[in-house]
Amino acid sequence: MEVRGDAALDPTTITVHVKFSGRTLPLSVSDDSTVRDLKSLLQPLTNVIPRGQKLIFKGKVLADTMKLKSEQVIDGSKVMLIASQGLHQGDGPITKVATLPSTNTRRILDSKPSQVYKAKTIIDKSRSEHWKITGVVGLSWSHLKTVPEEVWACGHYVRVLDISNNFIQEIPDKISLLTSLNKLLLNANDLLDKGISWEGLSSLKSLTVLSLSQNHFTTLPSVVGTLTSLCELHIANNKLTSLPAEIGFLNQLQILKAGNNRISSLPSSIGNCHSLVEIDLSLNLLVELPETLGNLRNLKALHLRNNGLKSLPSTLFKMCSQLSTLDLHGTEITNDFLRQVEGWEYFDERRRSKHQKQLDFHVGSSGVFDEGADDNRGS
């Protein structure tokens, strides 16, 4: 019987120190790993997809197919990562220090001078009466921290409530008093997961438009599936990591805007949302899409920019017979892959007809498809 030492049984594990954007990332890998393997490990740590990564060791750009040991990358080696502009997923490369302005600063910068110096919104009896007559409560850009009690007193008269671009942290149970509400705009506030009464919200059976974009939500509760009258759901620019399976109950939903989150997978039940016309999942962490996406026969626009996708559902082009807008910029999907998907030629004909070989898709003189897919994946 031949006896081998542990080192002979397993490849040697080494620690490679990758320098990126002012910080050092230590990664433990096998010395038998390829450069491509190392890039895959870096993707969730940097938000840069492998195709957008250039690894440099001792002044040399490392080729994807080469093994680390053949490139003399050993334990303790220092490798530099350079990210190509635009080739990232989620909300961009993860850098050392976030320099984005605060929510409050953003709103002040975006405000008109008259709005910046407006101390408060005075709500009097005449305004309340006006709300009841028109059915529209417009309180956006009003520097509100709470929803005024006068709003709830209007009850069933209110059809539209716009309190976007404020500093509101709570939507209480009293939201259920607005029994005729059709449109609720809560975008650009300071709402957290527990700051909204979903029980109260779920009682609004006439609600067709719900905007929660640009808040601080990390989860979307299953109760959202009870809002079966919803036609538009806007949840972009939050910190969502997934969508609930109950979203499949929204069979009237036509528009889903969920870009710039941290969503890594979609529930297969999304294929039950047969009324969907437009889906925007740009700037997320998706690596694959459910095959049930092909059930969306009314889908016309699908935005998937800056995700880690390498493929599409096999039935997408064949079954989604109205699809004419597809944004794949910043993904791993290539033209060669797309041409092999069944139904590609019909989709290509539709999008050419709609966009006249130009407009939003940068079609060159050769007429080659260019919606973000590359003919050849870079090394």
Side-chain angles (χ1 to χ4, degrees):
M1 178 183 298
E2 183 180 2
V3 178
R4 301 181 182 179
D6 291 342
L9 287 173
D10 300 312
T12 302
T13 298
I14 62 174
T15 299
V16 178
H17 301 277
V18 180
K19 293 187 175 181
F20 174 64
S21 189
R23 59 192 180 127
T24 300
L25 304 172
L27 280 83
S28 296
V29 295
S30 164
D31 64 349
D32 202 42
S33 300
T34 64
V35 173
R36 176 76 183 189
D37 295 332
L38 181 58
K39 288 183 176 182
S40 295
L41 291 175
L42 284 166
Q43 181 174 342
L45 299 176
T46 63
N47 269 4
V48 182
I49 62 177
R51 184 160 58 93
Q53 298 179 30
K54 181 181 292 186
L55 294 178
I56 301 175
F57 179 59
K58 293 184 177 180
K60 175 184 176 182
V61 177
L62 301 178
D64 280 1
T65 56
M66 298 303 293
K67 291 187 176 181
L68 296 179
K69 60 183 178 183
S70 65
E71 293 292 324
Q72 298 183 344
V73 177
I74 61 175
D75 188 45
S77 292
K78 297 179 180 179
V79 177
M80 180 179 295
L81 167 60
I82 298 177
S84 298
Q85 184 175 5
L87 295 179
H88 56 77
Q89 61 183 21
D91 51 2
I94 300 173
T95 55
K96 183 177 182 181
V97 179
T99 57
L100 292 176
S102 66
T103 302
N104 293 1
T105 303
R106 169 182 54 77
R107 292 181 184 133
I108 292 173
L109 291 174
D110 290 344
S111 301
K112 294 179 181 179
S114 61
Q115 292 169 329
V116 173
Y117 295 105
K118 187 175 183 180
K120 65 179 180 178
T121 299
I122 301 174
I123 304 172
D124 54 23
K125 183 177 179 181
S126 62
R127 175 169 292 187
S128 298
E129 291 302 318
H130 180 70
W131 290 344
K132 289 181 180 180
I133 294 171
T134 63
V136 177
V137 177
L139 289 172
S140 62
W141 296 102
S142 296
H143 299 274
L144 298 175
K145 293 183 178 181
T146 60
V147 181
E149 288 297 318
E150 289 86 347
V151 173
W152 311 131
C154 291
H156 68 278
Y157 291 101
V158 181
R159 294 178 291 103
V160 177
L161 175 57
D162 182 0
I163 47 177
S164 60
N165 291 283
N166 282 292
F167 306 97
I168 293 170
Q169 297 181 355
E170 181 185 11
I171 301 298
D173 291 337
K174 291 181 180 180
I175 189 71
S176 62
L177 298 174
L178 310 184
T179 54
S180 301
L181 196 63
N182 299 138
K183 183 182 293 186
L184 178 58
L185 306 180
L186 301 174
N187 45 293
N189 276 288
D190 291 326
L191 291 168
L192 299 169
D193 292 335
K194 295 183 179 180
I196 187 168
S197 172
W198 283 98
E199 183 179 356
L201 203 61
S202 65
S203 67
L204 305 178
K205 301 305 181 184
S206 298
L207 195 64
T208 59
V209 177
L210 176 59
S211 179
L212 301 171
S213 297
Q214 219 167 333
N215 279 285
H216 309 290
F217 296 109
T218 61
T219 59
L220 193 64
S222 59
V223 72
V224 74
T226 65
L227 299 173
T228 53
S229 294
L230 271 187
C231 295
E232 297 184 24
L233 178 59
H234 300 263
I235 49 176
N237 297 291
N238 280 287
K239 300 176 183 179
L240 300 173
T241 57
S242 63
L243 299 179
E246 289 77 7
I247 199 170
F249 293 127
L250 305 182
N251 52 26
Q252 301 298 316
L253 192 64
Q254 298 177 26
I255 297 175
L256 174 61
K257 297 290 187 75
N260 203 11
N261 278 287
R262 309 286 296 176
I263 300 171
S264 58
S265 63
L266 293 180
S268 59
S269 60
I270 197 170
N272 297 328
C273 301
H274 299 298
S275 299
L276 274 170
V277 173
E278 180 180 1
I279 300 175
D280 189 344
L281 291 163
S282 303
L283 295 158
N284 275 290
L285 305 176
L286 294 168
V287 294
E288 63 180 357
L289 299 172
E291 283 293 323
T292 53
L293 213 60
N295 297 340
L296 304 180
R297 308 296 176 86
N298 295 306
L299 190 64
K300 295 181 179 180
L302 180 58
H303 304 278
L304 300 169
R305 174 187 295 262
N306 292 97
N307 277 281
L309 295 168
K310 299 179 182 179
S311 64
L312 293 172
S314 60
T315 59
L316 185 67
F317 293 145
K318 179 182 178 181
M319 304 301 292
C320 298
S321 57
Q322 296 193 52
L323 185 66
S324 58
T325 299
L326 179 63
D327 186 352
L328 298 172
H329 283 85
T331 69
E332 292 276 282
I333 297 173
T334 66
N335 276 332
D336 289 338
F337 168 81
L338 290 172
R339 295 188 185 102
Q340 296 173 14
V341 179
E342 185 178 5
W344 152 258
E345 61 275 14
Y346 302 112
F347 163 75
D348 194 35
E349 183 179 348
R350 289 194 302 273
R351 66 99 190 173
R352 285 174 185 270
S353 175
K354 178 179 178 181
H355 302 286
Q356 301 175 1
K357 302 181 181 180
Q358 286 293 332
L359 296 178
D360 298 329
F361 295 93
H362 313 292
V363 179
S365 59
S366 64
V368 175
F369 175 77
D370 180 16
E371 294 184 11
D374 289 344
D375 282 313
N376 296 294
R377 185 175 294 144
S379 60

